[in-house]
Amino acid sequence: MSGRERVVRMSVEQPLWRALTAYRVLTLGYAVLLAGFGRGTYERPWVALVFLAFLAVWTLLTLPRVAGAASCTKRFLGLDLTVAMTGILLTPLADFDARHMDGPTLPSIWTAGSVLAFALKGGWRWAAFASTLVAAANIVERGEPSRDTFHNVVLVWVASIAIGYVVEVARASERTLARALEIEAATRERERLARDIHDSVLQVLAMVQRRGTALGGEAAELGRMAGEQEVALRTLVSSGLVPTARVPGDGAREAPGHPVDAGAAGSAEADLRALLAPYAGSRVSFAEPGAPVLLAAEEARELAAAVSAALDNVRAHAGPEARAWILVEDEPDEVIVTVRDDGPGIPEGRLDQAEGEGRLGVALSIRGRLRDLGGTAELISVPGQGTEVELKVPKVSRGKAGPVR
């Protein structure tokens, strides 16, 4: 899993649990301060002292319990709510006038933390259940609830339900995002395998079909069967049914007729010039900088494979007499490789038509590779004036997918 996915997959609830932990500690201090300032009004101060001492111990010992949803069990939530309600019901025993003076209860606003724990754990339904029990305890404690009591009860009830609803929405969004990341990863792996197939199996089948047709006889029948298998395999690739498992031995690949240097497979960096030099020939000119063009080994191999795919397209569509030129430019922020030919060019709409027929050479072997490298692949073709493919790979911000035009 990439660093970006790990950040995205981090639970969106975790900041809320941390906030709840801090809330419980702060409100414990607030309840103790209130009791200290009002100790002269208590007819039985020892009741308040015993409960607040217990509340302090309970709060501090259970801080790990409210650190996350996994540790905050149903049993703990029930006990925590019981502590809060007990404090509310003990208030008249400590202060006889509490029912008539609308003073604070012994746990004061610490009680809301217990209700919020229900909201974070189980959503708005759990929040409604807990806040209703707290409301009932407040009504029993007051005997005849006043307007202030009613206001406080409704406030806790609405706030906890709202937070519980937000948590449910956040969880649903997190699940959707996680599923989207899984689909994206599976799609990228499928495209990588499709590129491998295009660079090897499909190319060989197409060559067998052409050679068999040219030779005739039994070779023509062999060519016909190879053509049928090529069509079936292209359909399988374009339909997305290629299994998402890595091909054994995947690494430095060898395009038909153009070996890719496998010596760089174990290196941290590779000189792109060394990987592209074997492509030069009587009809392929290669222009390179005087200094090494260093890229991460895997990136260099993928870029070389994209160049190989572009040259395959030249041989397949521009004719055996076409010439091609490879130009490598080492810029401060990016590496640019241009593959140009003097063929007839690509008619408008031909690429879209080929992709619809399952011929995914440009879409997968070129554009797909550059997209995975965080670069761009731009194809410019004018009928009668040849085709130019410009491949750009950034030297910084690896892993950030750039636009593929």
Side-chain angles (χ1 to χ4, degrees):
M1 184 184 296
S2 69
R4 182 187 68 167
E5 289 177 349
R6 283 195 297 269
V7 171
V8 172
R9 287 173 179 265
M10 182 183 294
S11 174
V12 295
E13 302 174 34
Q14 202 55 44
L16 296 177
W17 287 106
R18 287 197 293 265
L20 177 60
T21 301
Y23 177 87
R24 288 169 66 91
V25 174
L26 293 175
T27 53
L28 169 65
Y30 180 73
V32 172
L33 285 176
L34 282 181
F37 289 136
R39 64 183 181 275
T41 63
Y42 290 140
E43 284 77 9
R44 294 173 181 163
W46 63 270
V47 174
L49 180 62
V50 170
F51 173 78
L52 290 174
F54 174 80
L55 184 65
V57 173
W58 172 262
T59 301
L60 296 178
L61 290 180
T62 58
L63 287 181
R65 289 285 193 171
V66 290
S71 56
C72 190
T73 62
K74 293 181 180 179
R75 181 172 179 272
F76 165 74
L77 288 175
L79 292 174
D80 198 57
L81 187 63
T82 301
V83 170
M85 295 174 59
T86 300
I88 294 173
L89 297 176
L90 285 176
T91 302
L93 296 179
D95 183 3
F96 296 160
D97 295 328
R99 291 193 172 192
H100 310 293
M101 301 295 295
D102 276 336
T105 59
L106 290 178
S108 185
I109 57 176
W110 184 93
T111 305
S114 181
V115 176
L116 292 177
F118 272 82
L120 295 183
K121 176 69 176 181
W124 71 267
R125 293 175 180 83
W126 286 32
F129 169 77
S131 56
T132 300
L133 291 181
V134 170
N138 274 283
I139 292 174
V140 171
E141 185 266 332
R142 296 298 179 187
E144 296 181 359
S146 64
R147 183 178 62 182
D148 290 340
T149 301
F150 180 77
H151 173 269
N152 293 335
V153 165
V154 171
L155 182 62
V156 172
W157 197 73
V158 172
S160 61
I161 289 178
I163 292 175
Y165 178 76
V166 170
V167 169
E168 289 188 0
V169 172
R171 283 175 180 159
S173 301
E174 190 176 18
R175 288 192 297 269
T176 301
L177 183 57
R179 178 58 180 160
L181 287 173
E182 292 174 359
I183 293 174
E184 180 186 8
T187 301
R188 286 183 179 274
E189 179 69 2
R190 185 181 297 117
E191 289 181 356
R192 187 194 65 79
L193 289 174
R195 289 197 299 265
D196 293 340
I197 292 172
H198 177 273
D199 289 347
S200 54
V201 181
L202 291 179
Q203 297 283 10
V204 172
L205 290 175
M207 182 184 69
V208 171
Q209 182 186 24
R210 290 195 300 269
R211 294 289 293 167
T213 302
L215 292 174
E218 293 183 359
E221 177 64 16
L222 180 62
R224 183 190 65 79
M225 290 189 294
E228 292 177 352
Q229 293 304 310
E230 180 194 5
V231 172
L233 188 54
R234 288 187 186 277
T235 301
L236 187 66
V237 170
S238 61
S239 64
L241 297 179
V242 178
T244 56
R246 292 192 65 84
V247 178
D250 179 50
R253 286 177 291 276
E254 182 174 310
H258 291 284
V260 176
D261 182 12
S267 306
E269 287 187 330
D271 185 356
L272 182 63
R273 302 178 308 166
L275 297 179
L276 297 182
Y279 298 154
S282 60
R283 296 196 171 276
V284 179
S285 299
F286 178 46
E288 58 182 303
V293 181
L294 298 178
L295 287 172
E298 181 65 22
E299 293 184 354
R301 291 194 296 271
E302 287 294 292
L303 183 54
V307 171
S308 174
L311 292 175
D312 287 339
N313 287 334
V314 173
R315 292 193 298 273
H317 304 297
E321 301 301 320
R323 291 188 57 84
W325 293 264
I326 304 173
L327 172 63
V328 178
E329 301 172 81
D330 190 6
E331 301 293 340
D333 297 330
E334 62 185 357
V335 173
I336 305 174
V337 180
T338 305
V339 180
R340 183 170 59 85
D341 65 70
D342 61 356
I346 302 176
E348 185 176 355
R350 181 68 186 95
L351 290 179
D352 294 336
Q353 179 184 355
E355 188 170 346
E357 294 172 354
R359 300 181 179 274
L360 306 176
V362 173
L364 291 179
S365 289
I366 300 178
R367 286 178 172 165
R369 277 192 168 94
L370 269 293
R371 181 198 62 205
D372 289 349
L373 295 178
T376 61
E378 184 173 3
L379 188 146
I380 302 173
S381 182
V382 178
Q385 299 182 25
T387 300
E388 179 177 300
V389 179
E390 185 180 69
L391 312 174
K392 294 183 179 181
V393 176
K395 291 183 177 180
V396 294
S397 302
R398 303 289 189 213
K400 294 181 179 180
V404 179
R405 300 185 289 270

